[in-house]
Amino acid sequence: MRRLALLPAFVALAGCGLAISPPASAGSPAPAQRFPAALGLPAMEVPADNPITPAKVALGRKLFLDRRLSPNGTMSCAMCHVPEQGFTAHELATSVGIGGRSVRRNAPTVLNVAWQQRLFHDGREVSLEDQVWGPLLAANEMGNPSIGYVIERIGTLEDYRGLFEAAFDGRGPSAARLGAALASYQRTLVAGDSRFDRWRFGGEASALSAVEQAGFELFAGKGRCATCHRVGQREALFTDHGFHNTGIGWHRSLGTPERTRVELAPGVYTELDRRTIASFSEPPANDVGRYEITLDPKDRWAYKTPSLRNVALTAPYMHDGSLPSLEAVVGFYDRGGIDNPEKSALIAPLGLTASERAALVAFLRALTGSAVAALAADARGVAPPAAR
């Protein structure tokens, strides 16, 4: 089974520029790691108390894909963050957890998650090492009753024997070490070096078509997208790390619409009335966004600005997955979002023409990183597509 250039002394992710060094020698201090990243991304800062090592990455990858981390053996991180689907899930507007339970929000991608200042749509966590315990313990996600239950379960699995000890200097499974391993793996999911990066930051004039270049001009100008999805002179994370009310959360709080469009199969849709949906579905859970964390009324229905990197791979869109395509997203913002008392003052009607909307979508499709397919293949333990 081939891993993506997993070597005894370091891990190098093809196309990502991320090299993982062995741990410091015994007795030496643990300096913070700083890795050069892919074209278009800033250097990655790694916490000094959790340096990335090959053993941690391998363990974190195994944990990420392991359904046995849920009580009935059905759910893993990769069930909602599907490697082949841009590390998100295309089929569902909002995720489905253990036993088919409904989850309030869409699963965001974990590509480039190392640069996220806050995690989850409401920003309730700030550390990759800590965030995993949210979904592991949520009754409607992975459904574990306690931290101790998870750690004890891992201790009974023969194929984990010695893996934590190898990754953590002889120490066995614990809550902190499980989080550290998963964080280490997720920090290797680096997906930059898009065609846009090669055009803007790499000096490759032909990397974008004329339509895509026009789309970027709209993105930075008339479309006002770069106000929140920021682009710098030497790098671009395509986010302001802030929280904004676009109106979608407010509108959803009004209740289930009279009729809802439902996808029965890829490309096959029908409409169901409210009563039919209520007969087999849980009622929509209340969701007021960032307000749940800050209790500041100004934060009602505000959600984190996502990065737009690899956005063509991560449909459906918005915190509730209510917009099925990039065309729908551009149309939504062109209309000025949905008016409500707390709507962001940054969002207003744009007056785009049909050709301008199409150019914006073309530009967004140029933000896919060069290493995505290789990262998906590595997650499954198979040869990258180009190596087959």
Side-chain angles (χ1 to χ4, degrees), residues 120-245:
F120 300 104
H121 289 290
D122 55 20
R124 64 186 180 272
E125 289 286 0
V126 298
S127 164
L128 270 178
E129 282 74 9
D130 295 336
Q131 66 82 31
V132 66
W133 288 105
L136 276 170
L137 299 180
N140 63 345
E141 295 189 52
M142 295 179 75
N144 289 290
S146 68
I147 292 173
Y149 176 89
V150 177
I151 300 306
E152 186 175 56
R153 184 175 178 86
I154 289 173
T156 68
L157 300 174
E158 185 64 31
D159 52 312
Y160 278 95
R161 191 172 302 279
L163 297 185
F164 277 85
E165 289 79 1
F168 294 100
D169 298 322
R171 292 169 292 172
S174 73
R177 290 188 278 277
L178 184 146
L182 276 163
S184 293
Y185 171 60
Q186 290 180 82
R187 289 192 176 103
T188 69
L189 301 178
V190 177
D193 188 34
S194 67
R195 288 192 296 111
F196 167 75
D197 295 315
R198 296 197 291 274
W199 174 74
R200 181 170 175 85
F201 305 118
E204 190 177 326
S206 62
L208 291 189
S209 69
V211 170
E212 291 164 341
Q213 292 181 39
F216 175 63
E217 293 302 316
L218 288 162
F219 184 92
K222 181 180 178 181
R224 301 174 60 181
C225 312
T227 304
C228 298
H229 300 281
R230 293 178 180 169
V231 177
Q233 293 302 310
R234 291 180 290 182
E235 59 198 34
L237 290 178
F238 287 95
T239 179
D240 62 357
H241 302 287
F243 299 83
H244 302 282
N245 175 343

Side-chain angles (χ1 to χ4, degrees), residues 221-306:
K222 181 180 178 181
R224 301 174 60 181
C225 312
T227 304
C228 298
H229 300 281
R230 293 178 180 169
V231 177
Q233 293 302 310
R234 291 180 290 182
E235 59 198 34
L237 290 178
F238 287 95
T239 179
D240 62 357
H241 302 287
F243 299 83
H244 302 282
N245 175 343
T246 67
I248 283 184
W250 172 83
H251 187 262
R252 191 177 181 90
S253 73
L254 300 180
T256 305
E258 187 58 43
R259 299 190 66 81
T260 300
R261 190 173 186 239
V262 177
E263 187 172 14
L264 301 176
V268 179
Y269 295 88
T270 189
E271 283 196 351
L272 299 178
D273 60 49
R274 183 186 304 172
R275 181 175 297 180
T276 300
I277 291 174
S279 71
F280 60 80
S281 176
E282 296 178 23
N286 189 40
D287 187 350
V288 286
R290 181 69 174 159
Y291 171 79
E292 295 178 7
I293 312 306
T294 67
L295 301 183
D296 185 337
K298 295 193 298 295
D299 288 333
R300 288 182 298 175
W301 306 296
Y303 300 87
K304 187 177 71 173
T305 305

Side-chain angles (χ1 to χ4, degrees), residues 35-172:
F35 295 113
L39 182 66
L41 287 166
M44 182 193 300
E45 300 284 351
V46 176
D49 59 356
N50 188 27
I52 301 177
T53 67
K56 282 186 197 173
V57 172
L59 175 57
R61 182 194 294 109
K62 181 179 177 67
L63 291 163
F64 187 86
L65 290 154
D66 198 339
R67 298 187 188 190
R68 295 172 299 175
L69 266 63
S70 62
N72 64 2
T74 61
M75 297 299 299
S76 70
C77 304
M79 295 295 290
C80 293
H81 303 284
V82 184
E84 296 81 5
Q85 297 185 13
F87 287 85
T88 182
H90 295 168
E91 290 84 3
L92 300 169
T94 59
S95 298
V96 171
I98 190 168
R101 295 182 178 128
S102 297
V103 179
R104 292 187 301 174
R105 297 170 182 165
N106 178 258
T109 181
V110 289
L111 291 170
N112 298 326
V113 72
W115 286 275
Q116 291 292 318
Q117 294 180 6
R118 291 187 176 273
L119 303 160
F120 300 104
H121 289 290
D122 55 20
R124 64 186 180 272
E125 289 286 0
V126 298
S127 164
L128 270 178
E129 282 74 9
D130 295 336
Q131 66 82 31
V132 66
W133 288 105
L136 276 170
L137 299 180
N140 63 345
E141 295 189 52
M142 295 179 75
N144 289 290
S146 68
I147 292 173
Y149 176 89
V150 177
I151 300 306
E152 186 175 56
R153 184 175 178 86
I154 289 173
T156 68
L157 300 174
E158 185 64 31
D159 52 312
Y160 278 95
R161 191 172 302 279
L163 297 185
F164 277 85
E165 289 79 1
F168 294 100
D169 298 322
R171 292 169 292 172

